[in-house]
Amino acid sequence: MIESKVIQTVQGLLTAEYQIILGGSSIGEAQIPLNVRGGTITCRIGENSYTLKRDSSNGPRYYDILDGNGSGIGYFSRLTKDKGFLKPGYLYIKAGFHEKEYSIYEVGMGKEGTYFPCYEEAYGEERQIGQIHKPAVVKDLKEEYECFAVDDQVSELLQLFSLYTDVWEHRNTGKKAAKAAEVEYSYTLNKKLKAKYNPDFVR
């Protein structure tokens, strides 16, 4: 299991910056020059450079994943699963990365924090290959994401997703960091969605 972290290091009124940590050492960084929802994200992970760029023509939260040459190699898109007549279903993120398809779910577990189990889709079935944990306690308005992956490619996908979800869901856009700690509780009630979280995956 590959363990890494995406840690926000700068939270300003206009910019946000992150470090990507593996084995206690920094292996990359990311920046959001315009600190708003939908802002473009630039990122370096090891020798690889990425840009996450919004394309609203494909959906309000659709992002293209571009490599260092500007070529499209993946995407993130928010969709609804198990929706039907008088049945609201639940939201999840459909992801593509290097010609593979993934589903990433957000499961709030109260004081334990929020978990993002990641499943690979193949032959009509899902197999869990990664998970992100976001602690409930946030210090100085700076978020932290703990990523667990079965291989290097999935590890990079989870690191990129951490940046994507932080832009839309969890970062304190337009606020300046202050010396304080906040607790963010999130509870998932949908049984099917909650079942996506496997507490034994990391163990």
Side-chain angles (χ1 to χ4, degrees):
M1 188 76 68
I2 300 173
E3 301 180 23
S4 64
K5 290 185 178 182
V6 176
I7 300 174
Q8 187 175 359
T9 55
V10 174
Q11 168 60 39
L13 294 174
L14 297 177
T15 62
E17 298 179 8
Y18 304 80
Q19 288 288 321
I20 300 170
I21 308 297
L22 178 67
S25 299
S26 175
I27 62 165
E29 65 278 328
Q31 301 83 30
I32 305 173
L34 184 58
N35 194 12
V36 296
R37 287 185 176 182
T40 297
I41 305 165
T42 58
C43 177
R44 179 188 64 83
I45 305 175
E47 297 180 354
N48 299 322
S49 296
Y50 299 102
T51 300
L52 274 63
K53 189 173 182 179
R54 186 184 182 193
D55 180 1
S56 58
S57 65
N58 284 314
R61 297 194 184 186
Y62 186 97
Y63 264 64
D64 286 310
I65 303 174
L66 310 176
D67 64 14
N69 297 318
S71 299
I73 57 169
Y75 66 90
F76 292 118
S77 180
R78 191 171 76 157
L79 302 174
T80 303
K81 183 168 284 191
D82 286 345
K83 185 178 182 180
F85 182 68
L86 298 179
K87 187 179 179 183
Y90 55 87
L91 297 171
Y92 75 107
I93 299 299
K94 181 85 168 180
F97 194 53
H98 292 297
E99 300 183 349
K100 289 187 177 182
E101 299 289 331
Y102 303 91
S103 294
I104 305 176
Y105 303 92
E106 181 171 345
V107 183
M109 298 296 290
K111 293 181 180 180
E112 294 181 35
T114 302
Y115 293 88
F116 301 86
C118 176
Y119 288 79
E120 182 180 0
E121 298 182 14
Y123 307 107
E125 296 183 356
E126 288 187 331
R127 177 177 69 95
Q128 188 170 4
I129 42 76
Q131 184 167 277
I132 301 170
H133 175 231
K134 189 182 89 66
V137 177
V138 179
K139 297 180 180 179
D140 302 337
L141 299 180
K142 297 173 183 175
E143 307 284 356
E144 180 175 313
Y145 299 84
E146 303 167 323
C147 304
F148 302 88
V150 298
D151 60 37
D152 291 333
Q153 182 168 301
V154 175
S155 184
E156 289 198 0
L157 172 68
L158 297 184
Q159 291 155 8
L160 293 173
F161 174 80
S162 297
L163 298 167
Y164 166 85
T165 197
D166 197 57
V167 166
W168 281 106
E169 298 289 347
H170 304 289
R171 190 164 44 84
N172 294 281
T173 301
K175 295 182 180 180
K176 187 175 181 180
K179 295 293 183 180
E182 296 182 355
V183 179
E184 299 176 351
Y185 289 158
S186 174
Y187 294 91
T188 293
L189 301 178
N190 186 291
K191 291 182 179 180
K192 286 188 176 181
L193 177 55
K194 196 171 183 178
K196 297 294 184 181
Y197 167 58
N198 176 12
D200 295 323
F201 174 75
V202 173
R203 292 196 291 268

